[in-house]
Amino acid sequence: MSELVLYQNQDGLVRLTLNRPERHNALVPELLDALADALARAHGEAPRALLLDANGRSFSTGGDVAGFYHTPREQRRDYAHHVVGRLNDVILALLTLPCPTVVAVHGTVTGGSLGLVLGCDIAVAGPRANFAPWYTVVGYSPDGGWTALMPERIGRARALDIQLLNRRVSAEEAHRIGLVQHLVNEGEELDQALALARQLCRAQPSSVRHTLALTRPDPHRVRAALDDERQHFLEQIDSDEADSGMAAFLAR
């Protein structure tokens, strides 16, 4: 198996690349474990900035519905506990890195993968980027910061509207409402994200650290909110509603 997360550190800029393109970088346990390990390594190397991007047609399509559905129901809570818990670890690792983080987004971002965007300080998106929850269709409870981080980013009313109605948010709307900060032309996502990350590497490091400490979401609050997300997810994944919702989704 190829590396699920590619790691590069060049002159103080760490670049992490999701590398499961044939499955749209779905958040299976192996990929989340690899991403958590890569972030732990980055913490130890103390970079000046970190860039997160992805190979393939999609940034990431969230949790693997088939993985949840085909796990025997008596084991599904344990599977979900690991997947959602590991995703929470990754989000918190991004939010507590002592350096600024930039994410380059292209294609589809669904479900818990939004947490990888919300966990970064600056998001760059191309015109075909789009974001959708799917929770009320599949029968899941929100995870990945949809409730823990998204309302703070775009407002509670907007967050509820998107989630309850399962609205797909275009790149243009995401930029307008502040879900992403930079909207660029097709194919320029990575170049622009790299340029911003390199600019951050040249900034005064102590000033950057103070700015991050004062402006980022409170990690203690976020940890508690993500724990709540996981608990609700575990309750819902063990329901008949989730069974029927996943079956219908996979039958499409």
Side-chain angles (χ1 to χ4, degrees):
M1 179 184 293
S2 61
E3 288 184 75
L4 296 177
V5 176
L6 305 179
Y7 189 102
Q8 181 182 10
N9 187 344
Q10 185 173 13
D11 299 325
L13 170 56
V14 166
R15 178 182 172 189
L16 306 182
T17 303
L18 307 182
N19 190 40
R20 198 182 180 226
E22 71 283 359
R23 297 296 296 171
H24 299 275
N25 300 305
L27 300 180
V28 294
E30 296 82 5
L31 186 143
L32 287 167
D33 288 343
L35 185 53
D37 289 345
L39 286 166
R41 178 180 173 186
H43 268 269
E45 293 183 1
R48 300 287 292 269
L50 181 140
L51 170 65
L52 176 64
D53 68 312
N55 287 332
R57 292 188 296 129
S58 305
F59 177 76
S60 176
T61 53
D64 189 344
V65 176
F68 283 105
Y69 183 68
H70 293 301
T71 298
R73 188 155 169 179
E74 64 273 12
Q75 300 172 23
R76 197 176 291 161
R77 270 181 172 252
D78 289 340
Y79 179 81
H81 189 276
H82 178 79
V83 170
V84 180
R86 206 59 163 145
L87 174 58
N88 290 353
D89 291 341
V90 165
I91 295 169
L92 287 164
L94 287 167
L95 287 172
T96 56
L97 269 172
C99 70
T101 53
V102 182
V103 59
V105 185
H106 70 282
T108 298
V109 180
T110 55
S113 294
L114 184 66
L116 305 183
V117 180
L118 294 170
C120 289
D121 301 308
I122 298 173
V124 178
R128 295 189 185 183
N130 60 92
F131 309 83
W134 285 102
Y135 295 105
T136 58
V137 174
V138 181
Y140 290 173
S141 182
D143 67 340
W146 280 87
T147 66
L149 291 168
M150 191 183 196
E152 183 177 338
R153 178 76 65 89
I154 68 170
R156 188 172 305 279
R158 278 201 185 103
L160 276 172
D161 177 74
I162 292 166
Q163 294 179 61
L164 292 176
L165 299 176
N166 191 45
R167 284 206 303 108
R168 184 174 293 276
V169 178
S170 68
E172 183 179 355
E173 181 181 1
H175 182 242
R176 177 170 52 82
I177 65 179
L179 188 58
V180 302
Q181 291 69 55
H182 298 265
L183 183 61
V184 299
N185 294 326
E186 180 76 18
E188 296 180 2
E189 302 92 341
L190 182 57
D191 287 344
Q192 179 63 23
L194 278 168
L196 291 172
R198 287 172 180 144
Q199 179 180 341
L200 290 166
C201 284
R202 295 191 296 272
Q204 297 295 338
S206 294
S207 178
V208 167
R209 285 196 298 273
H210 286 297
T211 303
L212 294 175
L214 291 166
T215 310
R216 278 175 170 169
D218 177 9
H220 301 292
R221 180 198 67 79
V222 174
R223 181 183 299 277
L226 289 174
D227 285 344
D228 284 344
E229 284 190 348
R230 178 169 60 175
Q231 185 56 42
H232 282 270
F233 193 97
L234 294 178
E235 292 173 8
Q236 182 65 12
I237 199 67
D238 197 23
S239 67
D240 293 337
E241 183 177 283
D243 259 355
S244 60
M246 287 188 288
F249 179 84
L250 293 171
R252 288 177 172 223

